[in-house]
Amino acid sequence: MTTAKSDEAVEEQAAPVTPSDRRERDRMRRRLARRRGGGWWPYAFLAPWFVGLFGLTVYPMLASLYLSFTDFDLLTPARWVGVDNYDKMFTEDPVFWDSVHATLLYVVVSVPLKLALALGVAMLLNRDLRGIGLYRAAFYLPSLLGGAVAVAIVWRQVFGGDGLFNDFLAWFGIEGQDWISSPDTAIYTLILLAVWQFGTPMVIFLAGLKQLPKDVYEAAAIDGVTPVTRFFRITLPLLTPIVFFNVVLQIIDAFKTFTPAFVISNGSGGPLNSTMLYSLYLYKKGFTDLQMGYASALAWVLFLVIAGFTAVNFIAGRYWVHYDD
Amino acid sequence: MGHQISRRTLFRSASGIAAAGALGTSLSACSGGTGAGSTNSDLTMIWWGSDDRHAAYKKVLAAFRKKNPKIKIRPTYSGYDGYFDKFNTNIAGGSAPDLLQMDTALVAQYARKGVLAPIDSYVGKSLDLTGFSKTLLAAGTVDGKLYGVPSGIGVNQLTVNRTGLEKLGLELPDREWTWADLKKIGTDVHKKSGGKIYGVDDGGGSTLQCFEVFARENGETFFTEDGKKLGFTPDTLQAWWEYWAEMRKVNASPPPAITSAAHNDLTKNAVVIGKALFTFDSGVYGAGGSITDAQLDFLPTPQGDFSGAREGNFVNGGVLLSATKASKKVADSVKIMSYFAQDATAIKDMQLLRGIPPTEKARGLIASGLTETDKLNMANADYVAQRVGRASDALAAPAPPPQGADQIWDLLFQSNLAVAFGKKSIKAQLGAFFDQSAGILEG
């Protein structure tokens, strides 16, 4: 951004502007505006978008901000309670802290694993093999299915006490347990499910790898650089903007995960709140416990936390993201 | 590299836009809806249940429509999961159904919030409640007004896999049994099955069917009459949890992973998966239609032995039919309620799918056509109802539970699980339970 700004500055300095020039330019602009049609009708075309923006995003957001200061229960009119909801959340709601714990664990473990796997597979798939398109599709498939309720249900069966995973362990003489109903392991089945859906960042990585300049690699090959060094010294640095993009998006996505936690725990967030991801708790509060005001407050805290994480990412990114210009 | 837009700007702005978009949706996903009310003139009706219950409801409604061609009914039905979530959302969105099957556990909450229509003024006119006992109607009565017609008698009972019991050479316990008897037979099941089967699913966190009966034996209730506090003491709950800790220790009850898996999931119930022979979950049979092939039998919740031992069992109202206040068709809804309560074919079609029929007359109507399991079910319910009626020291049936009750029941379940998994000591969990319950009841 800084470079862009200074470029403009240079341009303006280079062309000193006199008052008559300015008048001429204004006249020109007005004429152009008239010729382009101006008026209201471009806005008419944009209207559906505006309706969507204000009706489905801006208004609900403002409404939820207002509701977060009320005791709205969906059924009776909302009553203003000030910051009570926020106060209660931090001081006397142990489940809130359980959900924060579960969510942070989920984000911190699943995102790096998922991205590492996505990058690894993207590198494997970045070759000219026969039928490579088929492989790519095969690896991308889980992401298409991933958000679906059906997959979460299958997951529940696979990691249940008498599920496939324990059958698999039995081949090696290991006696499994019910992974989903033990508070120590349940969250890791969710993490595994998230990691398995690495397709989207993988496709983005693949696109990034395709863009990398070939001449750099040719030069490195001539110098006899080993593959490991090549990866850490060339590929990764050149890819940092894409890594950054994926990190930001995946963190946001992970914070908002809802469906698998809801399905796998039957909406309970159990055992012992170990899979009570934040969005699930928010949903429970709003729609099951009829505390929509409290749920709105939870939503705003989530918004601020995600915004915070994203801001930190952008600031930290200055130190490790390399652009080639 | 000759790009018009530098990669830096491209990725910067792409990341920024994507981040902003992703953030925005997280917020707008969670705000009150303002959906328009339904303009459809059909009477909308919702219920939850098993496939058998859905079929029976549809059959009865079809017969009703033949007699009342002017009333058009549009039914929607599902399992219990999400039923009330959807109902809440519909109400907030102004598209509440006209008539619904209501949970006795939630009727007070919805009545007090002004969601349900009081129907007292129809009683004796279009609503015929002849033969309904006062105790039964109490299940739909909140603050002196009637908000729902009970579908039948519900009692607390254990469902028993009798086939499994016979295979192990064990006898069905007598109906006058105690908590100690339950422990004894639970241990026997585990021994005789060579450690493969536990006796009874863990009841330490089971509320309605289980702990409430225990508290009532001690002369305590789950909630106080006004619903503002818990009606039992920490000592009572401690004795309860200690009993179940002992049950797990002697393998009369399964380890916590099995209990935890069955939470909200009937298909994982310990009796259904063959890991226990006794269960407190009435849904294994009560929702209509059996979920196992075994011959089931029924026993009242045990009591006595290590408590004050007054009669702890009680009778409640199965499910209810209620009309919503926002509905313009309350009069029509009431006609349907009355039809379900009194019409002979409706009663015969429903059988036990909504509980044991509420009146003497209705029970007589279905008696001949029952399956073996239905007969056993009804016999046990009759027995419990009679015993409760005879008891001189029984507390009155509990008042409809207050708002937040379901959160407290869930807390009880989770607390027992925390103890069972060894995450918390009974003492520590007791403190947490009472603190959090107080917080929930204060709102």
Side-chain angles (χ1 to χ4, degrees):
Chain A
M1 285 307 229
T2 41
T3 31
K5 246 181 213 158
S6 55
D7 282 353
E8 268 170 41
V10 170
E11 205 176 294
E12 270 180 32
Q13 265 170 14
V17 187
T18 66
S20 70
D21 282 346
R22 199 168 286 151
R23 244 175 284 133
E24 179 63 21
R25 203 200 282 163
D26 286 352
R27 212 174 300 136
M28 197 70 171
R29 266 193 201 146
R30 272 198 298 274
R31 205 177 303 150
L32 269 174
R34 227 173 291 137
R35 198 178 304 155
R36 282 186 196 133
W40 55 270
W41 62 268
Y43 298 101
F45 279 112
L46 280 172
W49 183 80
F50 276 115
V51 169
L53 175 71
F54 289 102
L56 299 174
T57 306
V58 175
Y59 169 73
M61 275 178 77
L62 293 177
S64 93
L65 181 61
Y66 166 72
L67 289 176
S68 76
F69 296 105
T70 69
D71 67 349
F72 186 48
D73 65 0
L74 279 175
L75 309 178
T76 47
R79 195 171 51 97
W80 185 266
V81 294
V83 294
D84 271 14
N85 287 329
Y86 294 92
D87 184 42
K88 206 160 100 189
M89 192 184 305
F90 291 107
T91 55
E92 51 180 280
D93 184 356
V95 186
F96 168 76
W97 291 110
D98 286 347
S99 79
V100 167
H101 176 252
T103 310
L104 284 180
L105 183 68
Y106 178 81
V107 171
V108 168
V109 180
S110 76
V111 172
L113 283 178
K114 185 178 187 176
L115 290 182
L117 189 65
L119 182 55
V121 175
M123 299 206 22
L124 287 177
L125 292 180
N126 185 26
R127 296 174 187 201
D128 291 322
L129 295 174
R130 199 210 284 257
I132 189 74
L134 205 66
Y135 295 126
R136 285 176 191 158
F139 278 102
Y140 184 62
L141 205 59
S143 299
L144 288 178
L145 303 171
V149 171
V151 173
I153 291 174
V154 169
W155 216 251
R156 201 166 84 195
Q157 302 299 343
V158 169
F159 288 96
D162 49 0
L164 273 179
F165 185 66
N166 282 344
D167 292 350
F168 172 73
L169 287 181
W171 287 354
F172 305 98
I174 302 168
E175 199 192 332
Q177 52 155 334
D178 193 330
W179 304 94
I180 280 171
S181 57
S182 161
D184 299 319
T185 56
I187 186 77
Y188 293 100
T189 64
L190 284 181
I191 288 172
L192 204 61
L193 178 58
V195 173
W196 180 63
Q197 293 156 22
F198 61 85
T200 308
M202 180 200 76
V203 166
I204 297 169
F205 276 133
L206 197 56
L209 288 170
K210 293 263 171 226
Q211 269 207 349
L212 298 185
K214 290 218 166 57
D215 46 355
V216 183
Y217 286 97
E218 280 159 13
I222 292 167
D223 288 347
V225 174
T226 67
V228 175
T229 319
R230 207 163 60 202
F231 175 75
F232 284 105
R233 290 295 170 89
I234 303 174
T235 309
L236 208 50
L238 283 174
L239 216 53
T240 46
I242 292 167
V243 174
F244 176 69
F245 179 86
N246 275 334
V247 165
V248 170
L249 279 200
Q250 291 303 323
I251 287 182
I252 293 174
D253 257 10
F255 266 112
K256 297 193 306 175
T257 306
F258 171 78
T259 315
F262 181 84
V263 174
I264 286 177
S265 71
N266 273 313
S268 73
L272 301 183
N273 296 332
S274 63
T275 62
M276 186 70 90
L277 293 188
Y278 197 92
S279 313
L280 176 57
Y281 185 51
L282 195 160
Y283 170 87
K284 259 185 85 138
K285 278 286 152 195
F287 293 98
T288 307
D289 297 345
L290 296 172
Q291 298 176 15
M292 194 49 86
Y294 192 70
S296 295
L298 285 171
W300 274 88
V301 169
L302 178 65
F303 175 77
L304 294 177
V305 167
I306 297 180
F309 263 82
T310 309
V312 167
N313 260 326
F314 271 83
I315 293 165
R318 283 187 201 151
Y319 300 97
W320 64 269
V321 179
H322 305 289
Y323 297 95
D324 61 352
D325 48 86
Chain B
M1 290 185 66
H3 296 298
Q4 279 267 303
I5 307 167
S6 74
R7 292 181 60 203
R8 174 194 284 253
T9 350
L10 183 65
F11 282 114
R12 271 268 170 82
S13 34
S15 306
I17 291 167
L23 264 168
T25 53
S26 76
L27 271 178
S28 43
C30 176
S31 47
T34 50
S38 162
T39 51
N40 199 310
S41 63
D42 293 356
L43 186 148
T44 50
M45 175 177 182
I46 59 168
W47 68 81
W48 76 87
S50 62
D51 288 345
D52 293 352
R53 193 193 268 176
H54 299 333
Y57 258 118
K58 284 194 282 188
K59 206 171 163 193
V60 175
L61 288 177
F64 176 82
R65 255 172 285 180
K66 262 189 197 149
K67 286 191 183 168
N68 301 272
K70 275 188 188 157
I71 303 177
K72 294 207 164 51
I73 304 164
R74 191 154 50 91
T76 312
Y77 44 90
S78 65
Y80 191 78
D81 276 0
Y83 176 85
F84 279 100
D85 290 4
K86 191 176 168 197
F87 178 62
N88 296 338
T89 320
N90 280 341
I91 293 190
S95 56
D98 298 299
L99 175 61
L100 76 148
Q101 182 175 299
M102 172 54 74
D103 193 335
T104 44
L106 299 173
V107 63
Q109 176 177 334
Y110 285 109
R112 290 192 179 126
K113 284 191 182 296
V115 170
L116 305 178
I119 48 176
D120 308 77
S121 57
Y122 299 94
V123 178
K125 295 169 198 158
S126 58
L127 182 55
D128 178 6
L129 294 180
T130 317
F132 279 65
S133 72
K134 233 186 166 164
T135 39
L136 187 57
L137 286 177
T141 307
V142 181
D143 303 331
K145 282 188 179 161
L146 186 66
Y147 288 96
V149 177
S151 67
I153 296 171
V155 297
N156 299 306
Q157 59 184 10
L158 277 88
T159 306
V160 186
N161 177 346
R162 208 176 70 189
T163 317
L165 212 56
E166 280 160 5
K167 261 189 205 156
L168 297 181
L170 291 166
E171 272 181 32
L172 194 72
D174 188 84
R175 280 180 180 145
E176 302 282 339
W177 65 331
T178 65
W179 296 106
D181 294 335
L182 178 63
K183 182 176 158 193
K184 168 89 174 50
I185 193 153
T187 332
D188 287 349
V189 168
H190 189 255
K191 269 187 214 148
K192 293 245 169 145
S193 68
K196 286 201 183 89
I197 308 176
Y198 305 90
V200 57
D201 65 357
D202 191 339
S206 175
T207 320
L208 287 175
Q209 291 89 355
C210 208
F211 175 65
E212 186 147 22
V213 173
F214 180 70
R216 291 165 64 87
E217 283 178 43
N218 282 348
E220 297 171 1
T221 50
F222 200 92
F223 297 105
T224 53
E225 187 69 30
D226 60 7
K228 291 195 173 124
K229 281 187 183 141
L230 294 175
F232 57 92
T233 60
D235 286 351
T236 305
L237 186 56
Q238 183 176 350
W240 179 247
W241 279 343
E242 278 167 359
Y243 172 75
W244 287 102
E246 176 67 16
M247 291 289 276
R248 290 186 294 268
K249 206 172 125 198
V250 300
N251 291 317
S253 286
I258 289 179
T259 313
S260 163
H263 192 40
N264 292 349
D265 187 356
L266 211 51
T267 63
K268 297 274 172 67
N269 176 282
V271 167
V272 175
I273 62 169
K275 280 286 179 188
L277 297 183
F278 297 76
T279 177
F280 290 96
D281 198 327
S282 58
V284 170
Y285 186 73
S290 175
I291 198 163
T292 79
D293 294 334
Q295 174 62 56
L296 300 175
D297 207 335
F298 306 88
L299 287 170
T301 309
Q303 64 171 48
D305 199 40
F306 67 108
S307 71
R310 59 165 95 191
E311 181 58 62
N313 280 288
F314 57 93
V315 175
N316 61 21
V319 293
L320 303 164
L321 283 182
S322 293
T324 52
K325 206 171 193 172
S327 164
K328 294 194 177 82
K329 303 189 180 74
V330 177
D332 287 346
S333 296
V334 167
K335 267 188 203 161
I336 299 173
M337 294 177 198
S338 197
Y339 186 78
F340 272 95
Q342 303 292 358
D343 184 83
T345 28
I347 290 163
K348 278 182 195 157
D349 285 341
M350 248 325 150
Q351 297 240 337
L352 298 189
L353 290 166
R354 299 189 308 158
I356 316 288
T359 65
E360 211 56 63
K361 183 190 119 195
R363 284 196 285 275
L365 276 171
I366 61 161
S368 58
L370 290 179
T371 65
E372 178 65 17
T373 320
D374 277 346
K375 273 184 199 152
L376 293 169
N377 190 4
M378 199 150 118
N380 186 58
D382 269 349
Y383 165 79
V384 175
Q386 280 177 26
R387 193 170 98 182
V388 171
R390 267 202 319 269
S392 55
D393 54 355
L395 299 173
Q403 187 185 353
D406 40 352
Q407 286 178 65
I408 291 175
W409 293 329
D410 196 54
L411 182 62
L412 186 85
F413 178 85
Q414 301 291 347
S415 299
N416 179 59
L417 211 53
V419 172
F421 272 118
K423 298 278 175 194
K424 281 272 187 77
S425 73
I426 290 180
K427 280 269 180 196
Q429 192 59 49
L430 267 181
F433 177 85
F434 276 85
D435 280 356
Q436 290 180 40
S437 297
I440 293 168
L441 285 173
E442 277 165 21

